[in-house]
Amino acid sequence: MNGTASTGSTGEQPLRTDVLNARRIVVKVGSSSLTTAAGGLDSDRVDALVDVLARTRAAGTEVVLVSSGAIAAGLAPLGLTERPRDLARQQAAACVGQGLLVARYTASFARYGLRVGQVLLTADDISRRTHYRNAYRALAQVLTMGAVPVVNENDTVATAEIKFGDNDRLAALVAHLVRADLLVLLSDVDGLYDGDPGRPGSQRLREVRGRQDLAGVEIGSAGRSGVGTGGMVTKVEAARIATDAGIPVVLTAARHATDALAGRETGTFFHRTGERAADHLLWLEHASSPRGAVRLTAHAVSTVAQRRGPLLADGVTRVDGDFVAGDPVELQDESGRVVARGLVGLDARELPRLQGDSTREVVHQDDLVPLVTTALPPAPAPPPPTRVRIRIHSAEEYARSSPQAQATARGARAQARP
């Protein structure tokens, strides 16, 4: 194991400079840290969290709270003893619990003269670029007016998105969206361990400086309380999204929130690994819903994967999906592996007329996000012009079909041709 491990704090530890210097912080808290064993809201836990956040706010640091707990808060009032499995009752619990959750936060923050602004999102709201920009404007205005935004997924209307990642991934995207200086993930576990935290000998990782520090680390996929939907997997993924965008992350237990926000050594600290990317590139990589796919020549794959230039029309060999200019699309190599994602500059139906054109851009270099991490060979010489094979169908059909299903359909059509 390459990370720095510890069974706990020993002696005086230096304060974390990135935490102390943060002027805008996103704090995410999980359901298990806010509710009782029976599923209702625990007022003492909510007040304890608000006490910490209010002190941070009084010190001049802006705070955005991403809070789970709507479904869990609605269990006891509806007579449910555990989180339901069916979507309809999950939505019903969220409908009741969301009001209880925001009312409790409103009352608790009011003790400090602070107002609360509720922001409900679904995955669809941040998978569409226009909605993404609207969310930024709303959150920025709430902060400007001195209120504390409380963000939650809109579980009342969410369908397939109901398990968005227990708000962990949402918190990472919100941290970039509001240009936060720090993301704090609060859970019922006091950090990332190199194995099951309940197993003797498992050690907490004090710091993670890159993906290499996670080699050999066993990461659990489910929480222990039974009221949340996430686990350590979603928290590590959220940390990766944030740190890749230049935002450091503290992962610790809710009971250690005071130490975490004071910069003291607690939990696991994920160092930033990248630079803050343009908003539309982070959205493109982590939140967009591709409307189609474009198959590329080997030369074009090397060019876009290494961001050495735009994708030109003569590098396209096949198009799947009925997309229009401005839509996000997957860029695939000759075997169908996704190597990048980009905002396409042309409609799908325009591409056949541009066959062999080495001057027309399909995706601009600034609108490309490489998705492969393995080294690619040097770009081969550009191939001769290739006839573009177009397959047009709805974006919904494309989204539902797997590569195997698409290949089977192509074979069936080929056999049916006279």
Side-chain angles (χ1 to χ4, degrees):
M1 182 187 63
N2 298 319
T4 304
S6 173
T7 56
S9 301
T10 56
E12 292 296 325
Q13 297 287 340
L15 298 180
R16 291 166 172 165
T17 304
D18 283 337
V19 176
L20 298 178
N21 292 338
R23 300 273 62 86
R24 179 175 289 178
I25 298 174
V26 171
V27 177
K28 185 267 174 181
V29 62
S31 301
S32 60
S33 301
L34 299 172
T35 55
T36 65
L41 282 175
D42 187 322
S43 296
D44 290 339
R45 290 185 176 189
V46 174
D47 287 345
L49 173 64
V50 169
D51 290 343
V52 178
L53 300 183
R55 286 196 297 269
T56 301
R57 183 70 178 77
T61 300
E62 293 179 328
V63 175
V64 177
L65 176 61
V66 177
S67 176
S68 300
I71 294 178
L75 298 183
L78 291 177
L80 300 173
T81 58
E82 61 182 8
R83 184 186 179 94
R85 296 181 180 273
D86 61 289
L87 178 61
R89 289 196 299 168
Q90 287 181 18
Q91 292 176 322
C95 183
V96 173
Q98 190 62 63
L100 296 173
L101 184 65
V102 71
R104 190 68 197 86
Y105 275 128
T106 299
S108 192
F109 274 106
R111 296 177 298 140
Y112 295 92
L114 294 172
R115 292 181 174 85
V116 165
Q118 184 183 35
V119 181
L120 294 178
L121 301 171
T122 65
D124 189 58
D125 289 325
I126 60 173
S127 68
R128 297 178 183 273
R129 195 174 176 188
T130 300
H131 294 193
Y132 189 83
R133 292 197 300 266
N134 289 341
Y136 164 72
R137 285 194 289 266
L139 286 163
Q141 190 61 49
V142 172
L143 289 169
T144 297
M145 299 182 74
V148 178
V150 177
V151 183
N152 192 9
E153 183 175 4
N154 193 349
D155 292 326
T156 302
V157 299
T159 53
E161 302 87 4
I162 196 100
K163 294 181 67 175
F164 185 69
D166 194 31
N167 282 342
D168 294 311
R169 182 163 164 260
L170 175 61
L173 293 169
V174 168
H176 189 281
L177 183 69
V178 300
R179 297 170 174 81
D181 304 305
L182 178 71
L183 171 62
V184 178
L185 300 173
L186 300 178
S187 178
D188 54 356
V189 181
D190 65 342
L192 175 63
Y193 282 72
D194 58 6
D196 185 342
R199 188 175 63 201
S202 293
Q203 293 187 316
R204 175 173 56 88
L205 303 184
R206 293 185 304 185
E207 295 182 317
V208 174
R209 295 184 177 276
R211 299 183 190 184
Q212 71 280 357
D213 287 350
L214 300 177
V217 175
E218 300 176 17
I219 302 175
S221 59
R224 299 179 300 179
S225 65
V227 295
T229 59
M232 196 55 67
V233 169
T234 63
K235 291 168 179 56
V236 172
E237 173 63 13
R240 184 187 70 80
I241 293 172
T243 55
D244 281 356
I247 303 170
V249 177
V250 177
L251 168 61
T252 191
R255 63 183 182 275
H256 298 318
T258 297
D259 286 340
L261 291 172
R264 289 189 280 272
E265 195 280 326
T266 184
T268 302
F269 185 78
F270 294 79
H271 292 264
R272 58 171 64 90
T273 58
E275 299 296 329
R276 190 179 298 273
D279 284 346
H280 78 288
L281 293 182
L282 188 90
W283 164 84
L284 182 62
E285 180 176 1
H286 297 292
S288 65
S289 298
R291 310 298 291 177
V294 178
R295 192 71 60 89
L296 311 181
T297 64
H299 180 270
V301 166
S302 182
T303 299
V304 302
Q306 299 178 29
R307 296 200 74 193
R308 293 187 294 103
L311 170 61
L312 302 176
D314 64 348
V316 176
T317 62
R318 192 173 75 240
V319 175
D320 289 319
D322 189 13
F323 52 80
V324 297
D327 280 345
V329 297
E330 292 179 338
L331 307 180
Q332 302 174 346
D333 65 13
E334 294 170 314
S335 67
R337 179 182 65 148
V338 178
V339 297
R341 190 172 289 176
L343 295 177
V344 69
L346 299 168
D347 295 354
R349 297 177 187 273
E350 291 184 78
L351 286 173
R353 298 195 298 270
L354 301 176
Q355 177 180 332
D357 191 333
S358 61
T359 64
R360 290 296 301 273
E361 287 187 353
V362 179
V363 180
H364 191 275
Q365 182 177 355
D366 292 342
D367 293 329
L368 282 169
V369 175
L371 299 179
V372 292
T373 57
T374 55
L376 292 171
T386 303
R387 181 174 179 78
V388 177
R389 296 172 56 200
I390 284 291
R391 173 166 162 259
I392 300 294
H393 52 67
S394 71
E396 289 74 16
E397 290 174 328
Y398 170 78
R400 290 196 301 267
S401 62
S402 64
Q404 292 81 3
Q406 295 170 12
T408 300
R410 287 195 296 271
R413 286 196 296 273
Q415 293 179 0
R417 293 192 186 101

mmCIF file of all heavy atoms in Angstrom, residues 264-289:
data_model
loop_
_atom_site.group_PDB
_atom_site.id
_atom_site.type_symbol
_atom_site.label_atom_id
_atom_site.label_comp_id
_atom_site.label_asym_id
_atom_site.label_seq_id
_atom_site.Cartn_x
_atom_site.Cartn_y
_atom_site.Cartn_z
ATOM 1 N N ARG A 264 -7.590 20.384 11.411
ATOM 2 C CA ARG A 264 -6.837 19.399 12.185
ATOM 3 C C ARG A 264 -6.824 18.045 11.492
ATOM 4 O O ARG A 264 -7.684 17.747 10.671
ATOM 5 C CB ARG A 264 -7.413 19.293 13.596
ATOM 6 C CG ARG A 264 -7.135 20.526 14.460
ATOM 7 C CD ARG A 264 -7.519 20.296 15.918
ATOM 8 N NE ARG A 264 -8.951 20.446 16.124
ATOM 9 C CZ ARG A 264 -9.548 21.593 16.404
ATOM 10 N NH1 ARG A 264 -8.840 22.715 16.498
ATOM 11 N NH2 ARG A 264 -10.862 21.650 16.612
ATOM 12 N N GLU A 265 -5.854 17.220 11.853
ATOM 13 C CA GLU A 265 -5.670 15.917 11.224
ATOM 14 C C GLU A 265 -6.789 14.973 11.674
ATOM 15 O O GLU A 265 -6.847 14.542 12.813
ATOM 16 C CB GLU A 265 -4.304 15.337 11.597
ATOM 17 C CG GLU A 265 -3.851 14.174 10.723
ATOM 18 C CD GLU A 265 -4.495 12.851 11.105
ATOM 19 O OE1 GLU A 265 -4.748 12.636 12.308
ATOM 20 O OE2 GLU A 265 -4.753 12.036 10.203
ATOM 21 N N THR A 266 -7.700 14.722 10.758
ATOM 22 C CA THR A 266 -8.779 13.780 11.010
ATOM 23 C C THR A 266 -9.207 13.182 9.688
ATOM 24 O O THR A 266 -9.082 13.822 8.634
ATOM 25 C CB THR A 266 -9.989 14.472 11.690
ATOM 26 O OG1 THR A 266 -10.974 13.482 12.004
ATOM 27 C CG2 THR A 266 -10.605 15.514 10.793
ATOM 28 N N GLY A 267 -9.689 11.965 9.720
ATOM 29 C CA GLY A 267 -10.158 11.325 8.505
ATOM 30 C C GLY A 267 -9.061 11.131 7.484
ATOM 31 O O GLY A 267 -7.884 10.955 7.815
ATOM 32 N N THR A 268 -9.444 11.180 6.220
ATOM 33 C CA THR A 268 -8.518 11.024 5.098
ATOM 34 C C THR A 268 -8.521 12.294 4.271
ATOM 35 O O THR A 268 -9.592 12.800 3.906
ATOM 36 C CB THR A 268 -8.921 9.831 4.210
ATOM 37 O OG1 THR A 268 -8.942 8.639 5.000
ATOM 38 C CG2 THR A 268 -7.932 9.657 3.066
ATOM 39 N N PHE A 269 -7.345 12.822 3.993
ATOM 40 C CA PHE A 269 -7.218 14.031 3.193
ATOM 41 C C PHE A 269 -6.755 13.660 1.793
ATOM 42 O O PHE A 269 -5.707 13.049 1.610
ATOM 43 C CB PHE A 269 -6.212 15.000 3.829
ATOM 44 C CG PHE A 269 -6.113 16.324 3.117
ATOM 45 C CD1 PHE A 269 -7.092 17.291 3.302
ATOM 46 C CD2 PHE A 269 -5.065 16.592 2.261
ATOM 47 C CE1 PHE A 269 -7.014 18.506 2.650
ATOM 48 C CE2 PHE A 269 -4.970 17.806 1.609
ATOM 49 C CZ PHE A 269 -5.957 18.762 1.794
ATOM 50 N N PHE A 270 -7.565 13.999 0.803
ATOM 51 C CA PHE A 270 -7.240 13.755 -0.598
ATOM 52 C C PHE A 270 -6.657 15.035 -1.190
ATOM 53 O O PHE A 270 -7.348 16.048 -1.286
ATOM 54 C CB PHE A 270 -8.490 13.350 -1.386
ATOM 55 C CG PHE A 270 -9.089 12.026 -0.983
ATOM 56 C CD1 PHE A 270 -9.889 11.923 0.147
ATOM 57 C CD2 PHE A 270 -8.860 10.884 -1.740
ATOM 58 C CE1 PHE A 270 -10.455 10.708 0.515
ATOM 59 C CE2 PHE A 270 -9.412 9.666 -1.385
ATOM 60 C CZ PHE A 270 -10.213 9.574 -0.253
ATOM 61 N N HIS A 271 -5.399 14.981 -1.569
ATOM 62 C CA HIS A 271 -4.747 16.140 -2.172
ATOM 63 C C HIS A 271 -5.253 16.360 -3.594
ATOM 64 O O HIS A 271 -5.596 15.408 -4.290
ATOM 65 C CB HIS A 271 -3.231 15.953 -2.191
ATOM 66 C CG HIS A 271 -2.600 15.964 -0.839
ATOM 67 N ND1 HIS A 271 -2.028 17.092 -0.289
ATOM 68 C CD2 HIS A 271 -2.466 14.974 0.092
ATOM 69 C CE1 HIS A 271 -1.551 16.800 0.920
ATOM 70 N NE2 HIS A 271 -1.806 15.527 1.173
ATOM 71 N N ARG A 272 -5.263 17.611 -4.013
ATOM 72 C CA ARG A 272 -5.643 17.911 -5.395
ATOM 73 C C ARG A 272 -4.640 17.275 -6.351
ATOM 74 O O ARG A 272 -3.422 17.264 -6.089
ATOM 75 C CB ARG A 272 -5.724 19.419 -5.623
ATOM 76 C CG ARG A 272 -4.447 20.163 -5.331
ATOM 77 C CD ARG A 272 -4.547 21.616 -5.792
ATOM 78 N NE ARG A 272 -5.564 22.351 -5.072
ATOM 79 C CZ ARG A 272 -5.362 23.024 -3.956
ATOM 80 N NH1 ARG A 272 -4.155 23.000 -3.403
ATOM 81 N NH2 ARG A 272 -6.315 23.687 -3.364
ATOM 82 N N THR A 273 -5.144 16.732 -7.431
ATOM 83 C CA THR A 273 -4.283 16.062 -8.416
ATOM 84 C C THR A 273 -4.299 16.749 -9.766
ATOM 85 O O THR A 273 -3.503 16.419 -10.636
ATOM 86 C CB THR A 273 -4.714 14.596 -8.602
ATOM 87 O OG1 THR A 273 -6.089 14.555 -9.014
ATOM 88 C CG2 THR A 273 -4.552 13.806 -7.308
ATOM 89 N N GLY A 274 -5.220 17.670 -9.967
ATOM 90 C CA GLY A 274 -5.319 18.355 -11.249
ATOM 91 C C GLY A 274 -5.592 19.827 -11.050
ATOM 92 O O GLY A 274 -5.563 20.352 -9.934
ATOM 93 N N GLU A 275 -5.853 20.491 -12.163
ATOM 94 C CA GLU A 275 -6.170 21.907 -12.132
ATOM 95 C C GLU A 275 -7.664 22.096 -12.380
ATOM 96 O O GLU A 275 -8.316 21.252 -12.993
ATOM 97 C CB GLU A 275 -5.368 22.659 -13.210
ATOM 98 C CG GLU A 275 -3.858 22.568 -13.025
ATOM 99 C CD GLU A 275 -3.393 23.231 -11.741
ATOM 100 O OE1 GLU A 275 -4.030 24.217 -11.310
ATOM 101 O OE2 GLU A 275 -2.383 22.767 -11.164
ATOM 102 N N ARG A 276 -8.169 23.202 -11.912
ATOM 103 C CA ARG A 276 -9.588 23.491 -12.114
ATOM 104 C C ARG A 276 -9.878 23.595 -13.602
ATOM 105 O O ARG A 276 -9.287 24.411 -14.313
ATOM 106 C CB ARG A 276 -9.968 24.792 -11.417
ATOM 107 C CG ARG A 276 -11.474 25.043 -11.383
ATOM 108 C CD ARG A 276 -11.766 26.338 -10.652
ATOM 109 N NE ARG A 276 -11.331 26.293 -9.278
ATOM 110 C CZ ARG A 276 -12.070 25.833 -8.273
ATOM 111 N NH1 ARG A 276 -13.278 25.367 -8.502
ATOM 112 N NH2 ARG A 276 -11.610 25.837 -7.038
ATOM 113 N N ALA A 277 -10.769 22.730 -14.077
ATOM 114 C CA ALA A 277 -11.123 22.694 -15.491
ATOM 115 C C ALA A 277 -12.264 23.658 -15.776
ATOM 116 O O ALA A 277 -12.961 24.119 -14.867
ATOM 117 C CB ALA A 277 -11.526 21.276 -15.889
ATOM 118 N N ALA A 278 -12.448 23.953 -17.056
ATOM 119 C CA ALA A 278 -13.596 24.758 -17.448
ATOM 120 C C ALA A 278 -14.874 24.032 -17.045
ATOM 121 O O ALA A 278 -14.954 22.813 -17.082
ATOM 122 C CB ALA A 278 -13.570 25.003 -18.955
ATOM 123 N N ASP A 279 -15.890 24.811 -16.661
ATOM 124 C CA ASP A 279 -17.139 24.210 -16.204
ATOM 125 C C ASP A 279 -17.697 23.224 -17.213
ATOM 126 O O ASP A 279 -18.163 22.139 -16.861
ATOM 127 C CB ASP A 279 -18.178 25.302 -15.933
ATOM 128 C CG ASP A 279 -17.924 26.035 -14.626
ATOM 129 O OD1 ASP A 279 -17.123 25.519 -13.817
ATOM 130 O OD2 ASP A 279 -18.510 27.103 -14.429
ATOM 131 N N HIS A 280 -17.664 23.592 -18.488
ATOM 132 C CA HIS A 280 -18.309 22.734 -19.475
ATOM 133 C C HIS A 280 -17.547 21.430 -19.680
ATOM 134 O O HIS A 280 -18.126 20.420 -20.055
ATOM 135 C CB HIS A 280 -18.494 23.475 -20.807
ATOM 136 C CG HIS A 280 -17.268 23.593 -21.649
ATOM 137 N ND1 HIS A 280 -16.216 24.417 -21.336
ATOM 138 C CD2 HIS A 280 -16.916 22.972 -22.817
ATOM 139 C CE1 HIS A 280 -15.288 24.326 -22.273
ATOM 140 N NE2 HIS A 280 -15.674 23.452 -23.172
ATOM 141 N N LEU A 281 -16.240 21.420 -19.374
ATOM 142 C CA LEU A 281 -15.477 20.177 -19.510
ATOM 143 C C LEU A 281 -15.760 19.238 -18.351
ATOM 144 O O LEU A 281 -15.863 18.014 -18.543
ATOM 145 C CB LEU A 281 -13.979 20.478 -19.602
ATOM 146 C CG LEU A 281 -13.527 21.225 -20.853
ATOM 147 C CD1 LEU A 281 -12.015 21.421 -20.842
ATOM 148 C CD2 LEU A 281 -13.948 20.478 -22.123
ATOM 149 N N LEU A 282 -15.893 19.767 -17.130
ATOM 150 C CA LEU A 282 -16.246 18.910 -16.011
ATOM 151 C C LEU A 282 -17.651 18.347 -16.206
ATOM 152 O O LEU A 282 -17.905 17.172 -15.969
ATOM 153 C CB LEU A 282 -16.176 19.678 -14.697
ATOM 154 C CG LEU A 282 -16.339 18.768 -13.479
ATOM 155 C CD1 LEU A 282 -14.995 18.246 -13.019
ATOM 156 C CD2 LEU A 282 -17.038 19.471 -12.345
ATOM 157 N N TRP A 283 -18.554 19.209 -16.650
ATOM 158 C CA TRP A 283 -19.905 18.742 -16.956
ATOM 159 C C TRP A 283 -19.867 17.665 -18.030
ATOM 160 O O TRP A 283 -20.530 16.637 -17.920
ATOM 161 C CB TRP A 283 -20.752 19.934 -17.421
ATOM 162 C CG TRP A 283 -22.021 19.525 -18.105
ATOM 163 C CD1 TRP A 283 -23.204 19.192 -17.512
ATOM 164 C CD2 TRP A 283 -22.229 19.389 -19.508
ATOM 165 N NE1 TRP A 283 -24.125 18.849 -18.462
ATOM 166 C CE2 TRP A 283 -23.561 18.960 -19.694
ATOM 167 C CE3 TRP A 283 -21.418 19.585 -20.633
ATOM 168 C CZ2 TRP A 283 -24.100 18.728 -20.960
ATOM 169 C CZ3 TRP A 283 -21.949 19.355 -21.887
ATOM 170 C CH2 TRP A 283 -23.273 18.936 -22.046
ATOM 171 N N LEU A 284 -19.073 17.900 -19.065
ATOM 172 C CA LEU A 284 -19.000 16.964 -20.180
ATOM 173 C C LEU A 284 -18.511 15.597 -19.732
ATOM 174 O O LEU A 284 -19.064 14.558 -20.124
ATOM 175 C CB LEU A 284 -18.070 17.535 -21.259
ATOM 176 C CG LEU A 284 -17.894 16.728 -22.542
ATOM 177 C CD1 LEU A 284 -19.217 16.591 -23.276
ATOM 178 C CD2 LEU A 284 -16.848 17.403 -23.435
ATOM 179 N N GLU A 285 -17.493 15.566 -18.864
ATOM 180 C CA GLU A 285 -16.907 14.292 -18.454
ATOM 181 C C GLU A 285 -17.771 13.552 -17.443
ATOM 182 O O GLU A 285 -17.946 12.333 -17.544
ATOM 183 C CB GLU A 285 -15.521 14.527 -17.855
ATOM 184 C CG GLU A 285 -14.840 13.239 -17.395
ATOM 185 C CD GLU A 285 -13.433 13.463 -16.898
ATOM 186 O OE1 GLU A 285 -12.972 14.630 -16.881
ATOM 187 O OE2 GLU A 285 -12.772 12.470 -16.523
ATOM 188 N N HIS A 286 -18.331 14.262 -16.477
ATOM 189 C CA HIS A 286 -18.949 13.582 -15.340
ATOM 190 C C HIS A 286 -20.473 13.678 -15.280
ATOM 191 O O HIS A 286 -21.091 12.924 -14.529
ATOM 192 C CB HIS A 286 -18.383 14.136 -14.036
ATOM 193 C CG HIS A 286 -16.924 13.895 -13.867
ATOM 194 N ND1 HIS A 286 -16.398 12.634 -13.672
ATOM 195 C CD2 HIS A 286 -15.869 14.754 -13.869
ATOM 196 C CE1 HIS A 286 -15.084 12.721 -13.551
ATOM 197 N NE2 HIS A 286 -14.744 13.987 -13.663
ATOM 198 N N ALA A 287 -21.084 14.593 -16.011
ATOM 199 C CA ALA A 287 -22.523 14.792 -15.824
ATOM 200 C C ALA A 287 -23.342 14.768 -17.103
ATOM 201 O O ALA A 287 -24.558 14.741 -17.039
ATOM 202 C CB ALA A 287 -22.761 16.127 -15.109
ATOM 203 N N SER A 288 -22.702 14.790 -18.256
ATOM 204 C CA SER A 288 -23.464 14.838 -19.499
ATOM 205 C C SER A 288 -24.008 13.463 -19.872
ATOM 206 O O SER A 288 -23.486 12.428 -19.449
ATOM 207 C CB SER A 288 -22.590 15.376 -20.635
ATOM 208 O OG SER A 288 -21.521 14.473 -20.905
ATOM 209 N N SER A 289 -25.056 13.465 -20.685
ATOM 210 C CA SER A 289 -25.646 12.226 -21.221
ATOM 211 C C SER A 289 -25.408 12.209 -22.720
ATOM 212 O O SER A 289 -26.040 12.971 -23.458
ATOM 213 C CB SER A 289 -27.146 12.166 -20.930
ATOM 214 O OG SER A 289 -27.395 12.152 -19.541
#
